[in-house]
Amino acid sequence: MPRLSHMTAVHTPGVPVVDDGMLISTNPATGVEVGRFPAATAEDVAAAVARAREAAAWWAGLGFRGRKERLLRWRSLLARRITEIAELTHREGGKPVAEAIVETASAIDHIDWSARNARRVLRRRRVRSRLVVAEFSAFLEYQPYGVIGVIGPWNYPVLTPLGSIAYALAAGNAVVHKPSEYTPAVGQWLVDTFAEVVPEQPVLQVVHGLGDVGAALCRSGVDKIAFTGSAATGRKVMAACAESLTPVLIEAGGKDAMIVDADADLDAAAEACVWGGLTNAGQTCIGIERVYAVESVHDAFVAKVVEKAGRLTVGEDGDIGPITMPRQIDIIRRHIEDAVARGGRAVLGGPDAVQPPYVKPTVLVDVPEDSAAVREETFGPTLIINRVRDVDEAVKRANAVSYGLGGSVFGRRRAMAIARRLRTGMAAVNSAMSFVGMSTLPFGGVGDSGFGRIHGDDGLREFARAKAITKRRAPSLLPSMTFERTPKQVDLIVKSIQLLYGRKR
């Protein structure tokens, strides 16, 4: 059994290692050991999938009602123990407890929604037929794949994997979860609590380890992989899954932009910008990393952002916690230094803000659009606020990167129209990142941000395969799918098609 501890680790703080067959997890700020977990071999992964295959048959056999009852029990357990998982998330990843509570609260709502709506979305239903095949009835249902492999991230180790796990379970699948090696304790906790309410079968299992375990899961014979992580790793996941034509859902990185129009409420925009850019120390795939403010409000907006961001505290118990993945600090430093070297100005923070394992809030202006800080994902507590002539220029710049996950628009008269022009899977109007908590809406991106959707109706269908069935209800008036048809009947088919579809409109 894995064990949690508070021993002092001898390894580099926050860097996961496998020692004597155990994955060791440590706090990124203090280096205190959080837990040790058996590192899975390829054989262990295959065995977990085999167990899941048997469990999947039992789980699917419960039907929508039986699964709903058990998922709602899990939801209730998580709600009662929300502070427990928030504290664990804080100890392992460094995230402030308050933010961990917000993350878990959203995850709980997704469990509730998926459990309550799976039957409505996926149930067997009759579909209207067409005149040319009126002798058949048509039916559609969504059947579970069987076993889903979920490879989760470290930055939101509760919400993000549960955005796949809850929907996959509600659709009738068993799940094998490979949590990030940076947050194995959180992943183990989720699986253990599910087993408390569903002890009969290993419907939800966990396998721990480094990247090789994720690769083994991709090649293990699961029926689909749901991956969240970087675009580079997403490509590796796709390549591994391509060997067996295993379908994949990829939620990769982002470089989300906020647009601030001339008629925006600047106080509200600044508040949302600071939250959207700096929450979780900026380690958010849908976090605001770039802002384009029209010329007439740019300076006033920057001043408000700097004032609000400058009040934030940084530290183990501050508003902004440590950078969870130590090697990310080098990327953040490089982006800030490159932006300043190329003419950008730090109006808050700057190169000196990088003080491992922390990075203080940094606000940059006048940063060239071809700089690394604008083009690449930073994943740190930095904001770039650039001046634009108008919203047309803002949209053009926002859409100029390879990512297309989310975005934000602040304004009154044109905000909705601007949001629709963003090349993203999601957008928030007069808020930031609010779509992630909306259980009824799909979540996902385009371009280097990946493809496929979790959450909402689309998220449920993502973990089920469409099954189409036709049933004859009468003899064919115009037999076509038979060698017994006559020349006269073929002639009638031609005349019928011309009559039905030969008109110009």
Side-chain angles (χ1 to χ4, degrees):
M1 287 291 291
R3 63 182 184 270
L4 301 181
S5 71
H6 294 281
M7 300 165 51
T8 299
V10 297
H11 306 286
T12 303
V15 177
V17 296
V18 174
D19 186 7
D20 195 24
M22 301 295 286
L23 174 65
I24 303 173
S25 175
T26 59
N27 180 282
T30 65
V32 170
E33 184 178 308
V34 179
R36 295 183 177 221
F37 307 87
T41 64
E43 291 74 20
D44 294 331
V45 174
V49 172
R51 290 191 297 271
R53 188 73 60 194
E54 293 187 12
W58 172 80
W59 182 248
L62 292 176
F64 292 113
R65 180 177 296 179
R67 295 194 295 271
K68 174 183 175 182
E69 176 187 347
R70 288 160 174 79
L71 286 169
L72 292 182
R73 288 208 304 260
W74 190 33
R75 173 216 62 187
S76 299
L77 185 152
L78 297 187
R80 292 192 302 270
R81 296 168 63 179
I82 187 172
T83 55
E84 179 184 335
I85 183 59
E87 290 285 353
L88 179 59
T89 302
H90 169 65
R91 291 207 317 272
E92 186 167 53
K95 178 178 296 188
V97 172
E99 295 197 6
I101 287 175
V102 171
E103 174 189 350
T104 306
S106 182
I108 290 169
D109 184 70
H110 280 291
I111 295 173
D112 182 83
W113 190 90
S114 59
R116 294 183 184 278
N117 287 274
R119 182 182 181 279
R120 173 186 61 82
V121 176
L122 305 176
R123 74 184 189 282
R124 179 173 176 266
R125 71 200 67 188
R126 190 163 181 165
V127 178
R128 291 187 65 179
S129 185
R130 296 284 287 173
L131 187 58
V132 292
V133 285
E135 66 271 32
F136 298 101
S137 299
F139 302 90
L140 173 65
E141 62 185 70
Y142 293 86
Q143 299 180 348
Y145 277 100
V147 180
I148 304 294
V150 175
I151 301 176
W154 51 265
N155 58 331
Y156 287 88
V158 178
L159 173 60
T160 302
L162 285 186
S164 294
I165 291 171
Y167 289 77
L169 291 173
N173 304 279
V175 174
V176 178
H177 175 36
K178 193 278 179 189
S180 168
E181 55 267 36
Y182 288 88
T183 52
V186 174
Q188 186 70 53
W189 191 93
L190 293 174
V191 171
D192 289 346
T193 55
F194 184 83
E196 290 182 32
V197 298
V198 185
E200 300 95 328
Q201 292 276 352
V203 176
L204 175 60
Q205 299 177 75
V206 64
V207 290
H208 295 293
L210 305 179
D212 61 307
V213 177
L217 185 59
C218 292
R219 297 184 171 97
S220 65
V222 294
D223 299 294
K224 188 167 188 174
I225 287 285
F227 166 82
T228 302
S230 70
T233 305
R235 291 184 178 93
K236 295 179 181 178
V237 167
M238 288 185 66
C241 289
E243 297 171 8
S244 55
L245 290 182
T246 299
V248 295
L249 182 160
I250 302 290
E251 197 265 276
K255 192 69 180 177
D256 289 8
M258 173 183 283
I259 294 175
V260 182
D261 202 356
D263 60 353
D265 179 334
L266 296 188
D267 288 317
E271 179 183 350
C273 178
V274 171
W275 162 258
L278 307 182
T279 183
N280 197 29
Q283 301 168 120
T284 306
C285 57
I286 54 170
I288 302 300
E289 296 203 5
R290 303 172 292 148
V291 184
Y292 298 107
V294 299
E295 198 162 17
S296 60
V297 299
H298 175 272
D299 293 346
F301 175 74
V302 169
K304 291 178 183 295
V305 169
V306 169
E307 189 274 329
K308 292 179 183 297
R311 296 201 307 259
L312 299 178
T313 58
V314 179
E316 187 178 359
D317 296 313
D319 299 310
I320 296 177
I323 302 302
T324 304
M325 201 163 57
R327 69 173 181 266
Q328 192 68 29
I329 293 174
D330 293 333
I331 296 174
I332 298 169
R333 180 188 291 111
R334 175 171 62 84
H335 283 191
I336 295 174
E337 291 178 347
D338 179 64
V340 172
R342 300 188 60 194
R345 293 185 296 115
V347 292
L348 179 68
D352 293 339
V354 182
Q355 300 173 9
Y358 300 99
V359 177
K360 295 182 177 180
T362 292
V363 179
L364 303 161
V365 298
D366 302 329
V367 179
E369 289 293 306
D370 60 351
S371 68
V374 173
R375 309 293 299 182
E376 301 173 11
E377 189 174 36
T378 304
F379 232 57
T382 65
L383 285 164
I384 293 172
I385 307 177
N386 279 346
R387 186 191 314 265
V388 291
R389 293 186 307 274
D390 51 33
V391 293
D392 289 335
E393 183 182 358
V395 170
K396 182 178 180 180
R397 292 192 184 189
N399 290 342
V401 300
S402 60
Y403 295 102
L405 196 52
S408 172
V409 179
F410 268 81
R412 292 185 174 88
R413 185 169 57 89
R414 299 176 292 187
M416 276 294 292
I418 297 168
R420 295 183 65 222
R421 294 171 62 190
L422 292 177
R423 180 184 163 273
T424 60
M426 304 159 292
V429 173
N430 293 330
S431 64
M433 306 194 302
S434 49
F435 38 75
V436 71
M438 192 72 69
S439 302
T440 54
L441 285 177
F443 181 101
V446 299
D448 280 359
S449 293
F451 53 86
R453 294 296 183 265
I454 57 176
H455 305 172
D457 290 12
D458 289 25
L460 284 167
R461 294 191 186 103
E462 194 76 48
F463 297 104
R465 55 186 180 89
K467 180 65 174 286
I469 301 175
T470 58
K471 179 182 179 182
R472 181 178 291 280
R473 59 185 175 185
S476 298
L477 295 178
L478 296 174
S480 57
M481 292 179 283
T482 173
F483 286 116
E484 304 299 321
R485 63 193 173 220
T486 66
K488 183 177 180 181
Q489 288 170 332
V490 172
D491 186 55
L492 285 173
I493 291 172
V494 171
K495 291 179 179 178
S496 298
I497 293 300
Q498 290 176 339
L499 178 64
L500 286 170
Y501 305 119
R503 302 183 302 273
K504 292 184 179 179
R505 328 181 43 168

